[in-house]
Each structure stands twice: as C-alpha cells, then as structure tokens.
Amino acid sequence: MSSCFENKKGLKQGDSVSPVLFNLVLQKVIQSTKMVPSGIKIGKEQLSVLACADDIALIGKNEIEIRKLFVEMENIARKFGLLINQEKTKYVIVERKNSLKKNKIRHLKIKFTNLKERKIINI
C-alpha cells in the first residue's frame, strides 16, 4: 500500500490497466450508492443496485427513491471523475401503471425503453 497521489494525466483508453482501474472505481461508487436507504427487499437482502460490467440498474419502489439513488450515484461518481452518459441512460417501468412523470433527472434527459427492447438473459 502506498500513500494517495493525484493523477493529472489519466490513462489512455487502450492501456491494459484502464479496465481494472475503472472496475475498482465503479465498485466503490456502487458500494457507496447502496448506502442510500431504498430498493426492494428480497428475502433478507435489500436490493437497490444491480450491476454487470458498466451496466447499472437502480431499483426503487417509486419515482422519488429512483431519483434519490440516481442523484446520489451521480454525485459519488463525479467525486471519482466518472460521468454518466446521457445518450446511454434509459429507464424502464415495471409495474401496472406508468407513474414516472418526468423523463429528466437533474441535467440529464433520460429516454424510456420497454422490456421488449431489452435482451433478458436467464441465468
């Protein structure tokens, strides 16, 4: 272990260390976001964030929970130098009625998608 140091230049995208560092930082962002009380309870576990590689799903009981999670994740990500890509961000409503009134959270305009457009993988 070494002391902290500031990286002023960054890594090139093709650098072999890049994906490892990205995964380490993203894991810290996800762990910090999980501290926000929200999500659904499955068994004894509280589930609010699902992640696979750089795909992240935020889970909440209502629009307010999702917005709080999103804002918290964005704030934490910014502290580590990560930005959320507006073009790739989408939301899906999985309930009987469509309750999301706005498709904008903070400065990001988020596109709607439905489950038919997404690939669902059975594990």
Side-chain angles (χ1 to χ4, degrees):
M1 298 288 291
S2 69
S3 59
C4 292
F5 60 92
E6 187 176 337
N7 184 356
K8 295 180 181 179
K9 296 205 177 197
L11 294 170
K12 293 182 180 179
Q13 190 156 354
D15 194 309
S16 60
V17 179
S18 242
V20 174
L21 289 177
F22 174 76
N23 286 336
L24 289 171
V25 171
L26 189 59
Q27 180 63 29
K28 184 67 175 171
V29 171
I30 291 167
Q31 286 175 341
S32 299
T33 304
K34 285 182 178 181
M35 302 306 284
V36 177
S38 62
I40 58 172
K41 192 165 187 164
I42 299 179
K44 295 180 181 180
E45 297 292 322
Q46 191 71 17
L47 187 62
S48 60
V49 180
L50 291 174
C52 181
D54 62 346
D55 290 330
I56 299 171
L58 302 178
I59 301 168
K61 294 177 187 169
N62 54 45
E63 180 180 354
I64 294 167
E65 272 192 12
I66 296 292
R67 288 180 182 278
K68 283 182 184 176
L69 269 173
F70 183 86
V71 168
E72 186 64 23
M73 177 169 274
E74 185 179 39
N75 289 337
I76 295 165
R78 280 182 188 271
K79 288 179 185 175
F80 288 103
L82 298 178
L83 299 174
I84 295 173
N85 187 334
Q86 180 176 343
E87 295 300 315
K88 293 182 178 179
T89 303
K90 294 184 169 75
Y91 69 93
V92 176
I93 298 169
V94 184
E95 65 175 17
R96 292 194 167 134
K97 61 179 182 160
N98 182 343
S99 64
L100 189 62
K101 295 162 187 69
K102 301 174 190 170
N103 64 340
K104 190 170 185 177
I105 300 177
R106 282 185 154 187
H107 61 282
L108 292 177
K109 186 173 170 77
I110 299 173
K111 298 173 190 167
F112 175 77
T113 187
N114 60 41
L115 291 175
K116 291 178 185 174
E117 294 173 12
R118 306 296 294 176
K119 292 180 183 173
I120 298 175
I121 301 169
N122 294 322
I123 297 176

